[in-house]
């Protein structure tokens, strides 16, 4: 079917998927671009293919077509793609695996997308975030993750509950702290660990740091006071993957 009107209920519902409240309500989200749609298809999350009316992108998935004005209505980018995918949000899992990344109140969608991408690259089994972290299904997060959001469980938890639970299950809990920490290059990788990364401005909340077994830091030139949290997380995960 070809949709040409922005007044159509289905099109209005697609537009509402740009808000977290509606994504949470219906358990769906949109991806834009051939690469992201293919990642969604390969991992089983793609429910419907939405194509510009003259686009050819054959996948064995229910397909509808959109006029240019409808595409510009539902997109959040200046130069929209001709390929969109309607995806089912993954069900949260309780099986964390042995290598966990915990995120305390990450706010920037680009940072979270970068972190998700690095977590997959360096073999993290699951990401646990708190309610104050930006929604992983924000379109900017999905684009920044380059589709890696489909390849790792992302679990929303109260960190003050989940960290003691992990300690009881013999995970080593690492925090990130510039002072009184251990150089990440000297850490011997335990079989089961969780590493906590914090908010862009404030870092890891002090009360969460008090729950950690050990603190880590990245040694760098003294002229550089700090690193972007996406960059810092990538470096730490790389070192923990050695």
């Amino acid at each position: 079917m070809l949709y040409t009107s922005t007044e159509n209920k289905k099109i209005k519902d697609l537009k509402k998927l740009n808000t977290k409240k509606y994504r949470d309500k219906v358990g769906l989200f949109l991806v834009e671009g051939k690469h992201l749609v293919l990642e969604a298809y390969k991992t089983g999350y793609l429910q419907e293919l939405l194509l510009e009316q003259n686009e050819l992108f054959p996948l064995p998935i229910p397909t509808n077509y959109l006029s240019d004005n409808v595409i510009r209505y539902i997109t959040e980018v200046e130069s929209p793609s001709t390929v969109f995918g309607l995806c089912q949000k993954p069900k949260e899992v309780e099986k964390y695996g042995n290598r966990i990344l915990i995120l305390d109140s990450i706010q920037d969608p680009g940072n979270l997308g970068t972190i998700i991408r690095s977590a997959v690259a360096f073999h993290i089994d699951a990401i646990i975030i708190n309610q104050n972290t930006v929604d992983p299904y924000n379109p900017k997060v999905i684009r920044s993750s380059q589709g890696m959001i489909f390849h790792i469980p992302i679990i929303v938890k109260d960190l003050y509950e989940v960290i003691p639970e992990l300690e009881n299950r013999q995970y080593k809990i690492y925090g990130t702290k510039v002072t009184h920490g251990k150089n990440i290059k000297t850490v011997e990788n335990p079989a089961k660990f969780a590493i906590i990364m914090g908010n862009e401005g404030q870092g890891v909340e002090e009360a969460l740091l008090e729950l950690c077994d050990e603190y880590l830091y990245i040694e760098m030139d003294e002229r550089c006071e700090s690193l972007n949290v996406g960059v810092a997380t990538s470096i730490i995960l790389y070192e923990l993957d050695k």
Side-chain angles (χ1 to χ4, degrees), residues 91-184:
K91 293 181 180 179
E92 286 201 355
V93 298
E94 292 296 330
K95 187 177 180 181
Y96 304 140
N98 293 331
R99 300 158 57 85
I100 302 171
L101 174 62
I102 298 176
L103 302 178
D104 174 21
S105 305
I106 300 296
Q107 298 296 295
D108 182 83
N111 283 338
L112 181 56
T114 296
I115 289 168
I116 292 169
R117 193 174 179 185
S118 294
V120 175
F122 302 122
H123 307 108
I124 292 297
D125 295 317
I127 299 173
I128 299 174
I129 66 175
N130 62 358
Q131 290 282 359
N132 295 328
T133 292
V134 63
D135 181 24
Y137 302 99
N138 176 304
K140 292 180 181 177
V141 175
I142 295 169
R143 289 196 297 273
S144 297
S145 82
Q146 287 291 300
M148 292 303 99
I149 193 166
F150 296 110
H151 295 275
I152 189 167
I154 300 176
I155 304 152
V156 182
K157 287 280 188 179
D158 182 328
L159 301 189
Y160 288 98
E161 293 180 1
V162 77
I163 292 172
E165 174 193 337
L166 293 174
E167 287 184 320
N168 288 337
R169 292 164 62 178
Q170 310 306 310
Y171 286 82
K172 180 114 180 209
I173 311 297
Y174 292 119
T176 45
K177 198 173 184 180
V178 175
T179 57
H180 308 298
K182 179 182 285 189
N183 186 334
I184 181 64

